[in-house]
Amino acid sequence: QQQVKQSPQSLIVQKGGISIINCAYENTAFDYFPWYQQFPGKGPALLIAIRPDVSEKKEGRFTISFNKSAKQFSLHIMDSQPGDSATYFCAARAPAGKSTFGDGTTLTVKP
Amino acid sequence: GAVVSQHPSWVICKSGTSVKIECRSLDFQATTMFWYRQFPKQSLMLMATSNEGSKATYEQGVEKDKFLINHASLTLSTLTVTSAHPEDSSFYICSARLKGPGTQYFGPGTRLLVL
């Protein structure tokens, strides 16, 4: 049973456009939802994270939208740049538990 | 802050040998460290969770006698792949979790190639 479903699997966006990646979870005990960015041959890097007591969190061009009732959260990358081309993973974690990761989204931003 | 290092970054070894990978949290104390394995174009597969001073908890299907984990201190965990075989070739990534907020930070990964 996959606890975190991520979509789309791949995404192509023009430079300057908005990239949107969605995740849905099932376990209502999850209380921490991070997004990670991974470049080829590198480890994942924490990009932004949110807790369910807020509906949105913005850091620069990156925004997480969180819908607790729908058990969904999404990553929005505004003004997407070629340097944003990477694989993005959402994750969800219960208190003091281990993280469950989505399958990843490969983002390509075309110049 | 919150830097996690791994050593070596890549290693090539002969089949049957053992390989040790170190994971260090450089500027914080990690209550818990995680070891992941990642195949090309796939997600992170959790292998085991280790807490300082206690035995690691392995995920189902991961051989604990093959993948030895030692969490010697709050800043160091090691993964030893014993009697490595070509099918063990993969990208191994460690992660360390901060006390308190529990933010998880990843190391840069170790590429293992077993010939």
Side-chain angles (χ1 to χ4, degrees), chain A residues 36-51:
Chain A
Y36 293 90
Q37 178 189 57
Q38 185 179 29
F39 293 104
K42 304 293 183 183
L46 179 65
L47 197 59
I48 187 172
I50 197 168
R51 294 193 182 272

Side-chain angles (χ1 to χ4, degrees), chain A:
Chain A
Q1 181 185 14
Q2 187 175 14
Q3 293 196 56
V4 179
K5 293 184 179 180
Q6 184 172 344
S7 64
Q9 186 176 17
S10 62
L11 179 63
I12 300 174
V13 173
Q14 289 294 129
K15 179 182 176 182
I18 302 173
S19 304
I20 302 175
I21 305 170
N22 301 297
C23 282
Y25 63 98
E26 298 170 5
N27 187 349
T28 55
F30 289 146
D31 72 342
Y32 179 69
F33 303 88
W35 284 90
Y36 293 90
Q37 178 189 57
Q38 185 179 29
F39 293 104
K42 304 293 183 183
L46 179 65
L47 197 59
I48 187 172
I50 197 168
R51 294 193 182 272
D53 52 345
V54 296
S55 60
E56 185 175 283
K57 183 175 181 180
K58 183 176 181 179
E59 289 184 3
R61 296 186 292 111
F62 302 93
T63 301
I64 299 179
S65 295
F66 187 84
N67 186 329
K68 188 174 181 178
S69 60
K71 292 188 286 185
Q72 295 175 346
F73 59 109
S74 59
L75 175 69
H76 296 233
I77 305 175
M78 311 299 287
D79 187 26
S80 298
Q81 300 296 312
D84 297 330
S85 297
T87 299
Y88 293 81
F89 293 96
C90 65
R93 197 191 74 210
K98 54 193 177 186
S99 296
T100 299
F101 288 85
D103 287 340
T105 296
T106 300
L107 170 66
T108 302
V109 181
K110 292 197 168 183

Side-chain angles (χ1 to χ4, degrees), chain B residues 12-91:
Chain B
I12 302 173
C13 69
K14 292 183 178 180
S15 184
T17 61
S18 294
V19 175
K20 180 185 282 189
I21 303 170
E22 288 188 351
C23 176
R24 293 181 184 273
S25 56
L26 298 185
D27 50 2
F28 66 98
Q29 291 186 330
T31 52
T32 306
M33 287 186 171
F34 305 89
W35 285 96
Y36 295 85
R37 186 173 178 176
Q38 187 177 37
F39 292 102
K41 299 188 184 301
Q42 291 191 23
S43 189
L44 300 149
M45 184 186 79
L46 181 64
M47 299 175 65
T49 302
S50 75
N51 293 291
E52 184 262 343
S54 61
K55 289 185 178 180
T57 302
Y58 290 81
E59 295 299 301
Q60 191 173 9
V62 177
E63 299 176 59
K64 60 181 181 181
D65 294 331
K66 180 166 187 63
F67 299 99
L68 300 178
I69 292 173
N70 183 279
H71 196 154
S73 72
L74 284 171
T75 60
L76 173 64
S77 177
T78 60
L79 167 67
T80 301
V81 183
T82 62
S83 186
H85 291 282
E87 58 266 30
D88 298 324
S89 299
S90 190
F91 192 49

